[in-house]
Amino acid sequence: MTPRRWLITGCSAGLGRVLAEAVLDRGDQAVVTARDPRSLEDLVAAHPGTCRAVTLDVTREGDAAAAISVAEQEFGGLDVLVNNAGQGMVGAIEEGSPEEYRPLFETNVFGVIETTRAALPALRKAGGGRIVMMSSGAGIAGSAGSGYYNATKFAVEGLSEALAQEVSPFGIATIIVEPGPFRTEFLGRSMRMAAAEMPEYAGISAGGRRRYRAEHDGRQPGDPRKAIDVLLRAVDAEHPPLHLPLGAGVYAAARRKFAGFLQTMDEWEPLASRTAFDDA
């Protein structure tokens, strides 16, 4: 297979770091990015001919375009964009403040939009490629205590489904990756907690989400390298999946949601579908 040319956001840790290592180890070329590229110096040292480290803060205007220019200048183009940079937030909806949740949307939603917009001309110029959107199982089903994070990932899902239809005529495939809990630093440094901790929510599921972080950080069941192996197979597939849940727990949660959704549709469709004008 011809080596691919990648740009990956959020490579300092987590799935982004494991993905960067995997694509470089298999002989692909990659522009790896982080807010502080010094965290990526070992990748460049290990792969001096195929790796370039670039500063990229997805919330800062111009950073994405500059990183894509490096891919074009150093490697002659871009084949795969991975929108991986992101952060989480725990707290009930009532507990969150604008100072806490607006930056979450800036990174997880608007940063993804601007990075994708900047990359599309290069992907179209290459005559095809892949756009990998790192969503989450939290983008499939909402859960108490994660509402703001759910909202950002639901936005990524809708954006990506529309994008897939827009770019498929150019030979560009979109893959929405929906990981469950994998053993990365996500529950640690990538997760912010709502400063307000209201006693009204402490004994119910929103409060339980706070305890989940403390109890499961570093103990998640998912193996990041196995997740990346599946992701690479999807990227390399002739017909990649639009949705790629990762982890047995995500599949179980999705099936529960879809089963409930279908049951509600069956119950209410006879009444709720009869909403057109009588002469329509």
Side-chain angles (χ1 to χ4, degrees):
M1 182 180 295
T2 302
R4 296 183 184 274
R5 300 161 296 184
W6 297 66
L7 190 150
I8 308 168
T9 69
C11 295
S12 61
L15 291 177
R17 173 69 182 212
V18 178
L19 175 61
E21 293 172 350
V23 302
L24 289 166
D25 287 345
R26 74 177 195 167
D28 287 354
Q29 300 169 319
V31 175
V32 296
T33 73
R35 291 183 177 183
D36 183 357
R38 289 176 296 181
S39 63
L40 309 173
E41 289 176 351
D42 59 323
L43 286 177
V44 178
H47 306 275
T50 56
C51 180
R52 299 291 183 272
V54 176
T55 301
L56 175 51
D57 178 345
V58 298
T59 68
R60 189 164 55 206
E61 185 177 356
D63 274 17
I68 290 154
S69 293
V70 172
E72 293 184 303
Q73 293 167 9
E74 296 291 325
F75 304 135
L78 180 66
D79 300 306
V80 185
L81 168 68
V82 182
N83 282 307
N84 171 72
Q87 56 185 269
M89 179 175 171
V90 169
I93 303 300
E94 190 176 355
E95 292 175 329
S97 69
E99 294 76 22
E100 293 168 329
Y101 60 71
R102 287 184 183 274
L104 187 73
F105 280 82
E106 289 292 341
T107 298
N108 292 8
V109 181
F110 301 121
V112 168
I113 291 171
E114 295 308 322
T115 302
T116 302
R117 291 180 65 244
L120 281 171
L123 290 167
R124 286 191 285 104
K125 189 185 303 181
R130 305 284 187 262
I131 299 173
V132 178
M133 298 289 207
M134 295 300 289
S135 178
S136 168
I140 298 175
S143 58
S146 295
Y148 289 111
Y149 183 62
N150 289 136
T152 64
K153 293 305 183 180
F154 270 61
V156 168
E157 298 268 333
L159 176 80
S160 302
E161 289 183 359
L163 177 71
Q165 297 174 38
E166 294 173 357
V167 301
S168 62
F170 307 116
I172 303 170
T174 303
I175 306 170
I176 309 167
V177 183
E178 295 143 338
F182 282 85
R183 198 168 299 174
T184 69
E185 299 87 344
F186 183 73
L187 289 179
R189 69 176 194 169
S190 296
M191 184 69 68
R192 69 170 61 207
M193 307 287 285
E197 190 169 354
M198 298 173 61
E200 292 85 349
Y201 294 99
I204 57 178
S205 51
R209 182 59 57 177
R210 291 178 181 267
R211 294 190 294 275
Y212 176 89
R213 180 202 183 191
E215 294 169 0
H216 290 81
D217 184 20
R219 301 180 181 88
Q220 301 95 321
D223 182 337
R225 297 193 180 279
K226 291 181 179 179
I228 294 306
D229 286 345
V230 177
L231 172 55
L232 288 175
R233 291 187 65 173
V235 169
D236 292 340
E238 183 178 359
H239 301 291
L242 175 59
H243 290 273
L244 183 63
L246 289 174
V250 178
Y251 281 87
R255 292 184 191 282
R256 284 194 300 271
K257 175 175 178 173
F258 299 152
F261 197 170
L262 289 172
Q263 180 178 348
T264 300
M265 290 176 63
D266 290 341
E267 292 173 357
W268 284 88
E269 185 178 13
L271 174 64
S273 62
R274 296 199 299 268
T275 54
F277 286 104
D278 292 339
D279 60 354

